[in-house]
């Protein structure tokens, strides 16, 4: 973090760097939208590339800004895809970040990126299904839970491995703009 002469973090730097992370997460979400759907994946299953940035924020920038990025992503979804998509994104994003923060606080240094990523992906799917069941006013959406838990494990694994690769690059970027 950029600090002043007294060692305090500069607010302008925090805002600018958080904005850059948010923009990067939107670019990754856009890129993911351009990828063709894979024939063997069930409907609704996505890689969740923008979650790489949320996880980076959680581990390297702070819990509050990771949550802020998740909320900003949901607002973006609301504005670009509509109310239902925004609600699903917000419910999945908040539950996902809450679980990732909880696990990282409880397990501290013992936690791996893979564990946090998998739990984040699974609980993101759970949050979305719970919101969908409320919106539809039926528990029928929850029957899709086993599919989304399995896909959350798979996609969380991919995201976690990607975070491990991308983390040094983002750290170098952060250090260069300090």
């Amino acid at each position: 973090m950029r600090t002043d002469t007294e060692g305090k973090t500069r607010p302008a730097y925090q805002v600018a760097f958080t904005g850059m992370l948010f923009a990067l997460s939107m670019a990754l979400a856009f890129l993911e939208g351009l990828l063709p759907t894979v024939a063997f994946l069930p409907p609704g299953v996505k890689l969740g590339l923008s979650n790489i940035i949320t996880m980076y924020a959680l581990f390297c920038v702070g819990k509050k800004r990771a949550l802020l990025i998740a909320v900003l992503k949901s607002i973006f979804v609301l504005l670009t895809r509509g109310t239902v998509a925004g609600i699903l994104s917000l419910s999945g994003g908040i539950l996902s970040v809450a679980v990732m923060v909880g696990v990282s606080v409880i397990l501290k240094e013992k936690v791996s990126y893979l564990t946090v990523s998998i739990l984040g992906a699974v609980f993101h799917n759970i949050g979305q299904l719970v919101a969908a069941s409320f919106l539809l006013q039926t528990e029928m959406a929850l029957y899709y839970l086993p599919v989304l838990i399995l896909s959350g494990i798979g996609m969380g694994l991919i995201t976690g491995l990607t975070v491990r690769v991308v983390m040094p690059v983002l750290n170098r970027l952060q250090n260069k703009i300090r």
Side-chain angles (χ1 to χ4, degrees):
M1 284 287 118
R2 187 163 305 259
T3 58
D4 60 18
T5 55
E6 297 172 2
K8 295 181 182 176
T9 303
R10 294 184 187 169
Y13 170 79
Q14 287 181 350
V15 170
F17 192 69
T18 303
M20 186 193 73
L21 290 176
F22 172 61
L24 187 54
S25 72
M26 291 303 89
L28 288 171
F30 179 75
L31 174 69
E32 184 174 0
L34 295 176
L35 297 175
T37 56
V38 181
F40 64 87
L41 290 178
V45 174
K46 297 189 322 181
L47 285 171
L49 294 177
S50 67
N51 295 331
I52 294 167
I53 303 304
T54 306
M55 283 189 57
Y56 173 79
L58 175 66
F59 284 109
C60 297
V61 184
K63 297 168 189 68
K64 288 180 184 176
R65 285 201 274 161
L67 181 61
L68 176 62
I69 288 170
V71 170
L72 289 173
K73 287 184 342 181
S74 298
I75 293 169
F76 181 78
V77 168
L78 171 75
L79 295 173
T80 58
R81 295 188 215 150
T83 305
V84 172
I87 291 169
L88 295 178
S89 176
L90 184 63
S91 60
I94 288 176
L95 184 59
S96 173
V97 171
V99 168
M100 290 191 297
V101 166
V103 167
S104 65
V105 167
I106 292 168
L107 298 179
K108 296 184 173 98
E109 285 82 37
K110 297 176 189 173
V111 70
S112 72
Y113 297 136
L114 289 177
T115 302
V116 171
S117 179
I118 290 169
L119 288 172
V122 167
F123 279 90
H124 191 279
N125 291 344
I126 290 170
Q128 287 186 323
L129 280 179
V130 169
S133 69
F134 278 115
L135 290 172
L136 297 171
Q137 297 180 357
T138 179
E139 296 84 28
M140 293 297 287
L142 298 177
Y143 288 120
Y144 205 51
L145 189 60
V147 171
L148 290 184
I149 286 176
L150 289 175
S151 66
I153 292 169
M155 297 305 141
L157 182 65
I158 291 169
T159 302
L161 291 171
T162 306
V163 166
R164 290 181 69 186
V165 171
V166 172
M167 183 86 58
V169 175
L170 289 173
N171 282 336
R172 280 195 305 271
L173 176 65
Q174 184 180 10
N175 289 333
K176 282 186 178 184
I177 62 174
R178 282 185 180 174

